[in-house]
Amino acid sequence: MPELPEVETIRCDLLPRVCGRTITAVRITPDAVPLVDGASPVEFGSRLEGRRIEGLSRRGKYLILHLSGGLHLVVHLRMTGALLHRDARAPADRYLRAVLSLDDGTELRFADLRKLGRLRLASDPEEVVGRLGPEPLDARFTAARLHQAIGRRRAPIKAVLLDQRALAGLGNIYADEVLFAARIHPQRRADTLSEAENRRLHRSIRRVLRDALDNRGASFRDYVDGGGREGRHQFYVKVFRRTGQPCYVCGAEIERIKVGGRSTHFCPRCQPQEVANGPT
Ligand SMILES: [Zn+2]
């Protein structure tokens, strides 16, 4: 599933290409009706046609197209969604569900193998994205802000990091990578982290996400950027899907457990279960 680095990569790819363009036509495939839940495909298209794309922002894992007349198109890629910018004459992409024709002969295409993604229209995007925690790459996201967001939670830290209402943008890949970088066991209760561990976690969240962004995201399965290309960060992960392979730091075997129902990868030596009082 695309997480913050993947969605942000798509945003950076698309912004200069679609900003300022006007939507001239909208096509939704008949099997993609659930994609635009809350609107009929015809209604959806007629509300979009003629509008100018004025901006493209991201909140957590959501992309938000800002359109003229105060309308927003909120895109959630979920498991297998992709948002692609193509020349209208380019061959059709696989699993194409929706196409927005633009006034310069290009198209914004939404492809989705599993049809779990969502396209929603709203005058207030907050109505769609709901209550989300702070943006971890925002300059205002300090260690104190992290502590405020998670420091009273009694759930395992891995589950808390996945909770979008606590912190926006992390999914299964980066939650595992962040906890490894911070040397924190994924089952530690969030409210038991020391001040030093909270600082380490804060630093790790920002560093891991920035590194992944530098590598244009991770393509373990379906993720592609706004031009249809794969990311590279899957080659640089330290624990995610490395079960049984040696830890790059200590050589111990990476283990896999379930935390909150999700597959979780960690190094039993670098991330001991007892509270670590190592260097900060
Ligand atoms: Zn290790």
Side-chain angles (χ1 to χ4, degrees):
M1 183 193 277
E3 304 178 27
L4 187 155
E6 289 78 30
V7 178
E8 182 64 15
T9 299
I10 295 171
R11 190 187 75 83
C12 294
D13 285 351
L14 297 183
L15 182 64
R17 296 163 175 222
V18 304
C19 202
R21 300 269 64 91
T22 296
I23 300 167
T24 55
V26 177
R27 206 166 71 240
I28 311 263
T29 63
D31 63 340
V33 171
L35 202 80
V36 291
D37 60 352
S40 77
V42 174
E43 185 191 338
F44 184 84
S46 65
R47 286 188 74 189
L48 282 175
E49 280 164 24
R51 292 195 196 253
R52 190 168 170 272
I53 299 171
E54 294 181 334
L56 176 59
S57 61
R58 180 190 56 75
R59 182 74 173 98
K61 304 176 193 172
Y62 292 87
L63 281 166
I64 304 166
L65 277 165
H66 303 265
L67 305 169
S68 55
L71 190 68
H72 299 87
L73 172 61
V74 182
V75 181
H76 198 197
L77 301 170
R78 302 283 290 279
M79 294 293 286
T80 57
L83 200 57
L84 304 156
H85 184 252
R86 304 280 202 206
D87 192 284
R89 292 162 302 184
D93 289 280
R94 291 206 299 167
Y95 314 119
L96 208 55
R97 310 294 178 197
V99 178
L100 276 58
S101 301
L102 306 180
D103 62 353
D104 63 348
T106 65
E107 292 177 340
L108 197 51
R109 299 177 177 179
F110 186 81
D112 191 356
L113 165 65
R114 294 180 59 181
K115 291 185 273 188
L116 294 168
R118 288 292 178 268
L119 307 176
R120 295 287 300 273
L121 294 174
S123 42
D124 179 6
E126 296 269 314
E127 281 173 23
V128 180
V129 306
R131 194 164 58 85
L132 293 178
E135 283 292 330
L137 292 182
D138 194 294
R140 290 165 295 183
F141 181 67
T142 58
R145 186 76 189 77
L146 173 66
H147 180 71
Q148 199 186 349
I150 69 165
R152 287 187 180 165
R153 301 285 299 264
R154 299 162 66 102
I157 183 64
K158 163 79 186 264
V160 174
L161 290 181
L162 291 179
D163 181 354
Q164 302 300 297
R165 291 165 304 179
L167 188 64
L170 288 187
N172 216 31
I173 302 172
Y174 298 109
D176 283 2
E177 292 297 308
V178 159
L179 289 172
F180 174 78
R183 306 194 303 278
I184 295 170
H185 192 283
Q187 282 175 320
R188 275 287 297 287
R189 256 174 55 172
D191 62 353
T192 68
L193 296 189
S194 67
E195 204 186 320
E197 285 174 318
N198 180 72
R199 269 203 308 275
R200 227 154 60 205
L201 183 60
H202 172 259
R203 211 159 49 220
S204 301
I205 289 168
R206 288 168 71 96
R207 187 177 304 152
V208 164
L209 292 177
R210 285 221 181 87
D211 285 352
L213 203 47
D214 285 346
N215 288 322
R216 303 187 53 79
S219 296
F220 280 97
R221 206 178 283 168
D222 304 285
Y223 164 71
V224 289
D225 66 20
R229 298 161 300 238
E230 294 194 338
R232 296 185 305 270
H233 198 65
Q234 66 276 20
F235 303 121
Y236 298 96
V237 292
K238 308 287 199 296
V239 289
F240 186 75
R241 298 220 178 135
R242 293 196 65 246
T243 312
Q245 295 179 47
C247 170
Y248 293 130
V249 174
C250 74
E253 270 187 22
I254 302 302
E255 289 182 10
R256 190 176 74 160
I257 54 172
K258 290 263 184 192
V259 181
R262 304 294 300 275
S263 262
T264 297
H265 312 78
F266 73 106
C267 171
R269 203 177 293 162
C270 294
Q271 297 163 266
Q273 198 136 25
E274 68 275 17
V275 178
N277 288 313
T280 63

